[in-house]
């Protein structure tokens, strides 16, 4: 009889401990505010790139990045086995000449907002390509966010004439300030 009570008491204590673990409050940051599940705060839609010609050493990566969270995040870098280097770029007009430049501090994704990476605007540069990108293929890419951490995506390789996957990109003009 004593053994049963000890076993029942032990099981009861274990059940209480497990329930307390399941019902514990979310971890807090240094300010005491509850933190969100980081990767869930960023979503990527329509990732794509264009095929490249033989000998072409760079290509662009495009997508929409949404941040439904309550705090801004920042795309700080990326990596891909298909490229020696991955950079985040913007495009601006200077005296009628289109110029690309790397965003050294990354790209802010505003809280509750969306940023579109597309031709003629913000984009990912795949530099020192290991081989030409062929239409119908996929390019693995890991995006590194300041808060959300690493998010893996695959860029669909579209024909060189592509302007984006249908129904995903806004073709009515640039969104955000590209300059």
């Amino acid at each position: 009889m004593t053994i049963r009570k000890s076993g029942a008491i032990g099981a009861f204590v274990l059940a209480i401990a497990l329930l307390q673990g399941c019902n514990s409050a979310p971890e807090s940051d240094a300010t005491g505010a509850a933190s969100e599940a980081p990767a869930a705060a960023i979503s990527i839609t329509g990732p794509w790139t264009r095929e490249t010609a033989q000998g072409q050493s760079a290509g662009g990566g495009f997508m929409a990045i949404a941040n439904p969270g309550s705090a801004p995040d920042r795309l700080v870098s990326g990596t891909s086995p298909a490229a020696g280097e991955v950079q985040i770029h913007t495009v601006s007009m200077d005296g009628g000449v289109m110029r690309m430049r790397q965003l050294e501090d990354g790209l802010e994704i505003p809280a509750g907002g969306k940023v579109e990476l597309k031709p003629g605007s913000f984009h990912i540069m795949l530099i020192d390509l290991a081989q030409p990108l062929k239409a119908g293929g996929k390019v693995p890419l890991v995006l590194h966010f300041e808060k959300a951490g690493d998010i893996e995506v695959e860029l669909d390789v579209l024909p060189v004439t592509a302007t984006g996957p249908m129904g995903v990109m806004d073709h009515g003009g640039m969104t955000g300030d590209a300059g």
Side-chain angles (χ1 to χ4, degrees):
M1 186 89 163
T2 305
I3 295 173
R4 273 195 192 171
K5 285 184 182 176
S6 295
I9 291 172
F12 178 75
V13 170
L14 178 61
I16 295 292
L18 289 173
L19 285 173
Q20 285 178 334
C22 291
N23 293 326
S24 62
E27 291 182 22
S28 297
D29 62 16
T31 64
S35 60
E36 298 178 18
I42 295 291
S43 69
I44 310 290
T45 54
W48 67 284
T49 187
R50 289 187 179 117
E51 67 184 330
T52 58
Q54 188 68 36
Q56 186 176 338
S57 63
F62 314 103
M63 65 200 70
I65 304 174
N67 177 5
S70 58
D73 203 342
R74 183 169 294 278
L75 173 60
V76 292
S77 65
T79 55
S80 174
E85 187 176 358
V86 175
Q87 296 179 354
I88 305 158
H89 280 212
T90 188
V91 174
S92 61
M93 293 300 287
D94 182 16
V97 177
M98 187 179 281
R99 299 193 187 280
M100 280 193 302
R101 68 179 170 84
Q102 182 178 3
L103 296 174
E104 298 289 341
D105 295 328
L107 177 62
E108 182 172 305
I109 313 301
K114 178 172 90 170
V115 176
E116 291 192 33
L117 282 62
K118 58 187 175 181
S121 184
F122 299 115
H123 60 278
I124 301 292
M125 280 300 299
L126 303 166
I127 299 171
D128 193 20
L129 291 171
Q131 61 189 23
L133 306 178
K134 298 290 183 197
K138 296 203 180 280
V139 176
L141 176 66
V142 178
L143 299 173
H144 308 292
F145 289 86
E146 193 172 75
K147 295 178 183 165
D150 293 348
I151 299 178
E152 295 181 15
V153 298
E154 283 189 319
L155 303 174
D156 290 327
V157 183
L158 302 180
V160 71
T161 57
T163 59
M166 299 304 290
V168 176
M169 304 302 283
D170 174 14
H171 299 291
M174 291 174 41
T175 58
D177 178 15

